[in-house]
Amino acid sequence: MDINQILDRIYVLPEISRNALKQYITEVSHPKSFCLMESDKIIPYIYFIRKGIVRAYASTADNDITFWFGSEGETVVSMKSYVEDRPGYESIELLEDCDLYVLETEHLKKLFETDIHIANWGRKFAEKELVRTEELIISRQFKTSLERYKDLMANKPDLLKRVQLGHIASYLGITQVSLSRIRAEMK
């Protein structure tokens, strides 16, 4: 997915504004298992996934808890770093070799001051991240593991082929044994 398509998924910018924003976006590639973001660190970048899959997780004393997967066309950001310039709580690991677009948040915030269209793009970006977070919280609080699995199958069926079952079980908040049981019931 190219950067124009990704930017447009957030908010369609006039060409002049899009070009002003794109001058600060570069491409990077990292191998599978690369840690794109570490918890307890300020992350001064926003990433857009051109190709590949990532997972966001938080570590406990016993294990890592996966709470989000991102794939082609999605944005990877530590909202705490982005909004408050404070260390985030999440780590981001690449589950495949990834091609990414990267934007330094300092450049973006300067563009907010000079271009109303880019400022509106930033507002829409933050709103979409808020809705995504809200949906995640509601899903965890009010849906069963079976309902969450069905949502995953409906909304991101490719993840089931590209992501280890242990990460999917963690995302669903269940054990791998429970996930195997759910998968068997679905067949």
Side-chain angles (χ1 to χ4, degrees):
M1 183 169 272
D2 84 6
I3 192 62
N4 293 319
Q5 295 169 307
I6 294 170
L7 295 175
D8 286 351
R9 287 176 78 174
I10 296 167
Y11 180 81
V12 178
L13 290 165
E15 189 172 343
I16 291 172
S17 299
R18 179 196 314 252
N19 290 337
L21 181 57
K22 284 172 43 178
Q23 75 178 343
Y24 294 106
I25 297 173
T26 58
E27 290 186 52
V28 296
S29 296
H30 295 291
K32 178 180 178 177
S33 301
F34 181 81
C35 184
L36 191 63
M37 297 181 183
E38 289 183 61
S39 64
D40 300 320
K41 291 190 177 180
I42 296 172
I43 309 300
Y45 304 103
I46 298 172
Y47 295 90
F48 308 96
I49 304 172
R50 182 174 164 267
K51 180 177 134 322
I53 290 186
V54 304
R55 76 175 179 117
Y57 66 94
S59 296
T60 67
D62 299 329
N63 58 3
D64 294 339
I65 299 169
T66 300
F67 59 86
W68 178 75
F69 294 107
S71 58
E72 289 81 4
E74 295 189 80
T75 305
V76 182
V77 64
S78 168
M79 285 304 285
K80 196 167 186 178
S81 291
Y82 174 72
V83 173
E84 297 182 339
D85 201 31
R86 293 179 52 202
Y89 55 86
E90 69 274 84
S91 292
I92 306 289
E93 175 190 20
L94 307 186
L95 299 180
E96 297 177 345
D97 293 345
C98 287
D99 297 329
L100 307 155
Y101 300 103
V102 60
L103 172 61
E104 198 169 330
T105 53
E106 179 182 324
H107 294 303
L108 180 59
K109 289 176 181 180
K110 285 181 182 172
L111 287 170
F112 289 164
E113 296 171 6
T114 60
D115 188 315
I116 189 64
H117 301 292
I118 295 174
N120 282 332
W121 179 91
R123 178 182 50 81
K124 290 301 286 182
F125 166 70
E127 289 170 355
K128 288 177 183 276
E129 289 297 311
L130 176 64
V131 169
R132 183 180 75 170
T133 301
E134 182 179 69
E135 288 173 347
L136 179 65
I137 292 168
I138 289 169
S139 173
R140 287 285 178 142
Q141 293 294 315
F142 298 107
K143 291 186 177 183
T144 66
S145 53
L146 176 60
E147 290 170 326
R148 290 193 305 272
Y149 182 76
K150 286 180 179 178
D151 285 348
L152 188 63
M153 285 180 51
N155 297 317
K156 293 191 173 201
D158 61 315
L159 285 181
L160 301 173
K161 297 175 187 147
R162 297 168 70 184
V163 174
Q164 295 174 14
L165 291 180
H167 294 319
I168 291 173
S170 173
Y171 172 77
L172 297 172
I174 59 177
T175 65
Q176 278 190 255
V177 172
S178 296
L179 177 58
S180 295
R181 193 175 310 117
I182 287 172
R183 289 168 54 101
E185 289 173 16
M186 298 285 295
K187 291 182 181 182

